[in-house]
Amino acid sequence: MPAEDPLLSVREVTVHFGGVTALSRVDLEVNRGTITGLIGPNGAGKTTLFNVITGLVTPRSGRVRFDGTDITGWPRHRRGRAGIARTFQRLELFGGLTVHDNLLAAWEASVPGAVLGMRRGEGRRVVDEVIEKLGLGELAGRVAGQLSTGQGRLVELGRALAARPRILLLDEPSSGLDQAETEHFRDLLLGAVGRESGEPAVLLVEHDVALVMEICDRITVLDFGQRIAEGLPAEVRSDPRVVAAYLGDSDAA
Amino acid sequence: MSGLWPFLVIGLFSGSIYALASMGIVLTYKTSGVFNFAYGGIAMFCGFTFWQLRDGWHISSWLSLPLLLLVVAPVMGLAAEYLFRAVITLSAEIQIVIALAVLAFLQALVPIFYGGSERSLNSIFPTSTFRLGSSLHVSWTQLFTLLLAVAAALALSGLLSRTRLGLATRAVVDNRDLAELNGVSSDGVSRLAWVISTVFAALAGVLLSSTVGLDTYSLVLFFIYAFAPAVLAKLVNLPAAFGWALGLGVLQSVLQKYGSSGNVADFESALPYLALFGALVFYGNALKEIRSSFRTITVSAPNRDPRRFAGSVAAVVIGLAILPLLIHGSALGDVSTALIYAAIALTLVVLTGWAGQISLAQFSFVGIGAFTAGHLAGAGGKGFLWAAVVGALIAVPFGIAVGLPSLRLSGLFLALATMAFALIMDTLVFPRNWVSGGYTGTTVARPDIFGIRFTGTLSFYWLSAILLGAYALGASLLNRGPVGRRLQMMRDAPLGASTFGVNLTLTKLAVFAGCGAAAAFAGAFYGAMRLTVDPNDFAFGASLELLLLVVLGGRALVPGGMVAGGIYLMQLLPLSSTVESYIPLGVAVGAVALAQYPEGPTTRSAEYMRYFSALFRRRPLRELTDGRLVPIVFSSRRRITSEPAEVADAR
């Protein structure tokens, strides 16, 4: 797999916030049809890296390539239309719209001309499919601003899927979910990734290390804005630097 | 050079008053996060109170001034602090509307309390002059005012830098929550700040009204000048506010030397507005809205039941059809005006309610449409429709100009920028003879559309009803379609919307231009209704009132726009003068009540209606109450707010 041209590649990205270095020459690849995990302690720079990929943060140096195209300087709406969809750790739902309309709005935003009413039938079909797949039927008519966090996370996933992504970026999707909801979520995620077609691929930021080890094909570990490990789950698990970062063992570093 | 000195003295005098006011505005903003749009109203009210105390009841200055500064002003400050603390977590347009309501409230209260809205007030200082150098005459009032401003600034900076109280204030400004954790009472600090700020307002009001006169409207407008130095100081830096204020006063005065009329004079009065607009655009992202926490209001899903939609349309159509049988003449004309007003209000529902972009300049667009129709439509109303379309097209670039600040600003700062834009239009564009015919105004012919002449009261009534119908239908369709969804995406989660592919720049400019054009088109009809329009009809105050009425009516709903028209109608109807004087008071009280029901009464009554009609149809109650809005009497949930994630998690 690594020999193949990755769908998304981040090369030597550096981000400064004032005097703080949030990311320092970080590399990351996401291959087609796979789930890549991105883990690290709090403040490691995971969300910042997401923000670089989706264009919310401009890196000081480094490049982001998507399907072979350099997208580093693209405005964020152009990235969205190119097929990069994400969820947010702090929910960013369209609170005044119904769940159904949240999904439809995301589809419309990603399809050129849809805002003028073109391809309307297609949009409704895609939305109905996603609602069916995620079991959102009961929530479809509810206003998104009144949902619980768990429901909100599910709607965020549905909204990202409705945008018909080529890559799906999930930021802490299981935080705030209970055990049963997390298991449900895992099944949905495994069903969402395009194993055969190669799209969508998934990049997953997650605190639940057990979940990450279970479902990810490859894992990248960040600590203090640096990539400290990359590899198969088993390799990462036994990496002494990763153990040190999570347990705070000063000898291993 | 010597010719400049007298202007410098005058400039320092007005600059000192700006300085007091802008420091007062900065002080409350940095401690409580509220931008006090009502500042001029408070100053004006204090001016009238002082007049009543000293000139009305003949209480000696030595007693009435301390009474004002130590009793009346602090009490007003505490009351304002109490009111604004309740709204600090609400969205910016509600905060602004409540501040505007306070302003309207004070303006309405003055004639009721003090039996008139104009007074002349003598200075508290001797007006005699002394000579400085060989030829420069300075009055004691001017000297003492400057000294007073300097003393106030020094006392304030001493208080902030030398005392424990100052330390507590700085801690609260830095981080309110952290300060609270360390035992500082942030409420106490913000109370103190409001008291000081109001005392400054009282001083400024008394000093200013002795030179420009005391009335409920222009005095308030004068205090908007002080917004510019406050924003130039980024709303946090007190010494900078003082400096900019003096600079602005001097610059304005010096400009007066070069022309007391014509272009220079217009530029001189527009200068503070240009400075305000420029500062907002220039500082852009550097300006931060201060809020302790966020409480978003979620509006319930609009009812998509086509039968209900058809039912409400039918009810409105029948109501409008019956009305001319009941009323005639000028009352029917007033209704026509209100119908057009409701159409204009709908453009603001789209812009502010759906797209989330506050505008305090919407009536400027109405003016563009009205004046264009006045110039282009033939005497018999021939070509009126084309004139209205041209007016709408002219409004587009203006709409883009108002929209430009929205690319970097939102909420309060966008409101200030649009306000500055409206005031620039008022001072630089509308007074021009070739635009408006000056203050004699422009006549607008009643339209002749496709050979049908709408000259009479009744025929024009039908035309107004058709206009409103078209706007309401258009807005409803827009809300149900992809464009409405896109606007609401941008309002609810701009970050989320942009990552999904919404071009925020394009969307914002388009909605400002589109709503501006729609307001201008309706403006042509507004002009035709009035027959003669002059710049005063579209002054900034009209835009303020529009926003107030739209938020009061329910800014996110089409019926909300119509309610705005209805409230406007109440003000037009020929009622007894006692009733008339109480209507603004009622409007103001209603807007203040928004602090309790921020979704707006229309939203709430829509909820009640839905609830009762569903009861009538015998749906299971569970379905009704399951996570939806229910009237308070039936619900344990007092407020319809989105809860913090932790609370929701804990359930």
Side-chain angles (χ1 to χ4, degrees):
Chain A
M1 292 278 276
E4 194 194 340
D5 179 31
L7 181 60
L8 177 79
S9 89
V10 173
R11 284 276 163 267
E12 306 219 323
V13 159
T14 300
V15 172
H16 292 269
F17 292 128
V20 182
T21 304
L23 291 176
S24 170
R25 300 169 70 89
V26 167
D27 289 340
L28 175 79
E29 292 85 38
V30 179
N31 291 318
R32 289 163 214 274
T34 64
I35 302 179
T36 301
L38 180 61
I39 60 173
N42 280 329
K46 304 178 298 274
T47 298
T48 304
L49 188 53
F50 263 37
N51 288 344
V52 168
I53 296 167
T54 48
L56 301 184
V57 168
T58 310
R60 176 167 291 192
S61 62
R63 313 306 302 175
V64 180
R65 295 174 78 81
F66 179 62
D67 199 15
T69 313
D70 190 330
I71 62 165
T72 318
W74 283 20
R76 48 199 190 225
H77 62 87
R78 200 172 158 197
R79 300 174 198 229
R81 284 185 198 161
I84 300 178
R86 72 173 288 183
T87 65
F88 291 84
Q89 191 182 351
R90 284 183 58 188
L91 298 180
E92 279 273 332
L93 291 169
F94 308 132
L97 295 177
T98 62
V99 169
H100 177 275
D101 283 3
N102 264 267
L103 271 54
L104 189 55
W107 178 84
E108 283 165 352
S110 65
V111 175
V115 74
L116 304 173
M118 287 149 76
R119 299 163 71 182
R120 185 172 291 182
E122 185 188 336
R124 302 210 182 273
R125 207 176 57 243
V126 169
V127 169
D128 289 343
E129 268 172 32
V130 174
I131 286 179
E132 170 81 41
K133 199 163 161 185
L134 300 192
L136 286 171
E138 290 207 354
L139 297 180
R142 294 263 300 271
V143 174
Q146 296 172 349
L147 301 178
S148 72
T149 308
Q151 292 168 329
R153 296 226 178 275
L154 207 55
V155 174
E156 280 238 348
L157 175 67
R159 189 176 62 173
L161 287 172
R164 303 213 298 177
R166 301 186 60 198
I167 186 166
L168 197 56
L169 277 60
L170 305 177
D171 198 351
E172 304 258 352
S174 83
S175 83
L177 301 193
D178 62 26
Q179 184 73 32
E181 283 175 322
T182 304
E183 278 170 21
H184 178 52
F185 187 83
R186 180 198 60 197
D187 297 340
L188 290 177
L189 190 57
L190 290 171
V193 62
R195 291 283 180 200
E196 285 92 41
S197 61
E199 286 169 8
V202 173
L203 178 62
L204 175 68
V205 164
E206 187 50 70
H207 259 126
D208 186 341
V209 176
L211 181 69
V212 173
M213 292 292 170
E214 181 190 344
I215 63 174
C216 290
D217 300 289
R218 295 189 78 81
I219 294 173
T220 292
V221 188
L222 293 184
D223 190 22
F224 289 116
Q226 299 199 318
R227 184 167 89 168
I228 58 168
E230 196 280 328
L232 298 170
E235 296 168 4
V236 167
R237 197 200 310 260
S238 55
D239 192 312
R241 279 172 303 178
V242 177
V243 176
Y246 269 89
L247 299 179
D249 183 351
S250 54
D251 299 342
Chain B
M1 187 63 206
S2 65
L4 271 180
W5 284 108
F7 290 96
L8 196 66
V9 169
I10 298 170
L12 282 175
F13 169 73
S14 50
S16 306
I17 295 169
Y18 298 159
L20 282 172
S22 55
M23 285 191 298
I25 289 167
V26 168
L27 192 61
T28 49
Y29 184 78
K30 66 190 251 173
T31 48
S32 66
V34 172
F35 186 92
N36 191 355
F37 271 93
Y39 201 82
I42 293 173
M44 177 273 296
F45 190 84
C46 289
F48 270 96
T49 309
F50 183 65
W51 179 90
Q52 186 66 40
L53 290 172
R54 190 188 64 177
D55 302 348
W57 292 331
H58 304 290
I59 301 172
S60 139
S61 277
W62 294 106
L63 191 60
S64 53
L65 198 59
L67 209 58
L68 177 73
L69 297 181
L70 300 177
V71 180
V72 177
V75 168
M76 284 181 76
L78 290 174
E81 196 272 341
Y82 178 78
L83 176 72
F84 283 112
R85 194 174 348 135
V87 302
I88 180 65
T89 54
L90 298 177
S91 57
E93 66 264 33
I94 304 226
Q95 278 188 40
I96 291 165
V97 160
I98 288 170
L100 295 179
V102 171
L103 180 62
F105 180 78
L106 292 170
Q107 282 177 323
L109 211 55
V110 161
I112 295 171
F113 266 31
Y114 301 129
S117 55
E118 270 174 64
R119 291 281 181 274
S120 67
L121 189 75
N122 292 327
S123 174
I124 49 172
F125 299 121
T127 46
S128 56
T129 59
F130 62 93
R131 246 186 18 198
L132 208 64
S134 58
S135 61
L136 183 64
H137 292 267
V138 179
S139 79
W140 292 105
T141 300
Q142 289 166 336
L143 178 68
F144 282 129
T145 301
L146 178 62
L147 291 178
L148 203 61
V150 172
L154 289 177
L156 191 59
S157 78
L159 180 79
L160 288 178
S161 60
R162 298 286 161 82
T163 62
R164 263 189 73 80
L165 207 60
L167 189 67
T169 309
R170 280 180 289 146
V172 169
V173 172
D174 240 25
N175 187 327
R176 200 180 176 90
D177 298 334
L178 217 55
E180 285 268 353
L181 282 176
N182 282 292
V184 174
S185 159
S186 60
D187 286 348
V189 165
S190 96
R191 263 182 224 124
L192 178 76
W194 277 89
V195 166
I196 296 175
S197 168
T198 313
V199 170
F200 280 17
L203 263 181
V206 168
L207 292 169
L208 187 63
S209 48
S210 67
T211 51
V212 304
L214 188 54
D215 73 279
T216 50
Y217 186 73
S218 61
L219 193 64
V220 168
L221 213 56
F222 202 87
F223 273 90
I224 294 177
Y225 283 178
F227 288 8
V231 172
L232 280 164
K234 297 185 182 172
L235 288 176
V236 288
N237 190 339
L238 285 164
F242 185 84
W244 281 112
L246 283 189
L248 183 69
V250 169
L251 192 58
Q252 262 189 309
S253 177
V254 167
L255 279 172
Q256 260 172 359
K257 173 178 160 48
Y258 295 103
S260 50
S261 65
N263 292 344
V264 182
D266 284 345
F267 179 71
E268 179 244 315
S269 42
L271 185 68
Y273 311 140
L274 291 166
L276 179 59
F277 194 79
L280 285 162
V281 173
F282 183 73
Y283 286 150
N285 303 336
L287 294 164
K288 262 200 297 204
E289 283 201 58
I290 301 172
R291 282 200 211 163
S292 47
S293 61
F294 235 106
R295 209 174 80 190
T296 42
I297 301 147
T298 55
V299 183
S300 66
N303 198 311
R304 297 276 191 239
D305 185 353
R307 275 182 306 170
R308 178 182 311 283
F309 180 67
S312 50
V313 169
V316 171
V317 168
I318 292 169
L320 287 177
I322 292 176
L323 204 63
L325 302 175
L326 306 174
I327 55 173
H328 316 276
S330 68
L332 194 63
D334 289 339
V335 175
S336 306
T337 310
L339 293 177
I340 298 168
Y341 193 87
I344 295 164
L346 283 174
T347 67
L348 199 61
V349 167
V350 175
L351 183 62
T352 302
W354 299 345
Q357 308 297 312
I358 304 174
S359 174
L360 288 173
Q362 202 63 359
F363 243 80
S364 301
F365 293 95
V366 177
I368 290 171
F371 290 130
T372 308
H375 287 300
L376 295 185
K382 294 263 185 231
F384 181 87
L385 209 54
W386 289 115
V389 170
V390 171
L393 291 177
I394 292 174
V396 167
F398 285 93
I400 291 172
V402 194
L404 281 174
S406 78
L407 302 180
R408 297 177 75 184
L409 304 169
S410 65
L412 166 68
F413 299 112
L414 178 59
L416 283 170
T418 56
M419 180 186 89
F421 177 87
L423 288 164
I424 291 166
M425 293 290 286
D426 286 355
T427 44
L428 291 184
V429 179
F430 288 149
R432 305 269 145 198
N433 267 320
W434 61 270
V435 175
S436 63
Y439 283 88
T440 50
T442 304
T443 52
V444 185
R446 291 274 167 94
D448 176 340
I449 299 169
F450 306 129
I452 308 169
R453 301 209 55 195
F454 296 94
T455 319
T457 308
L458 184 63
S459 59
F460 197 82
Y461 167 79
W462 294 123
L463 186 66
S464 312
I466 291 168
L467 181 79
L468 175 60
Y471 271 53
L473 195 67
S476 298
L477 292 176
L478 196 70
N479 189 32
R480 283 152 191 260
V483 175
R485 273 192 290 278
R486 176 142 309 181
L487 297 182
Q488 291 173 76
M489 279 170 99
M490 185 169 77
R491 173 196 69 193
D492 293 341
L495 270 189
S498 67
T499 52
F500 278 102
V502 174
N503 185 339
L504 294 180
T505 306
L506 193 69
T507 313
K508 280 181 184 169
L509 293 183
V511 71
F512 268 103
C515 292
F521 187 82
F525 293 83
Y526 186 81
M529 178 61 226
R530 303 285 295 258
L531 293 173
T532 311
V533 285
D534 68 62
N536 280 327
D537 292 329
F538 312 105
F540 164 64
S543 297
L544 276 189
E545 188 186 18
L546 183 69
L547 182 75
L548 190 103
L549 295 186
V550 165
V551 172
L552 196 58
R555 68 198 184 288
L557 294 172
V558 171
M562 307 219 187
V563 171
I567 305 172
Y568 185 73
L569 178 62
M570 288 200 305
Q571 295 173 312
L572 291 179
L573 289 176
L575 302 164
S576 76
S577 61
T578 326
V579 176
E580 247 168 27
S581 67
Y582 279 93
I583 287 177
L585 205 61
V587 169
V589 170
V592 170
L594 274 175
Q596 293 304 310
Y597 301 107
E599 334 68 84
T602 315
T603 316
R604 181 151 288 271
S605 59
E607 289 304 322
Y608 275 92
M609 294 243 306
R610 191 177 308 172
Y611 188 83
F612 284 116
S613 70
L615 273 185
F616 189 66
R617 275 193 250 140
R618 294 164 197 273
R619 280 201 204 144
L621 197 67
R622 187 187 52 77
E623 187 191 326
L624 289 168
T625 53
D626 182 31
R628 295 195 182 190
L629 282 175
V630 282
I632 329 170
V633 277
F634 300 111
S635 164
S636 57
R637 284 167 70 182
R638 279 274 304 145
R639 289 267 169 74
I640 298 91
T641 59
S642 70
E643 303 166 62
E646 304 83 50
V647 178
D649 288 346
R651 290 205 167 162

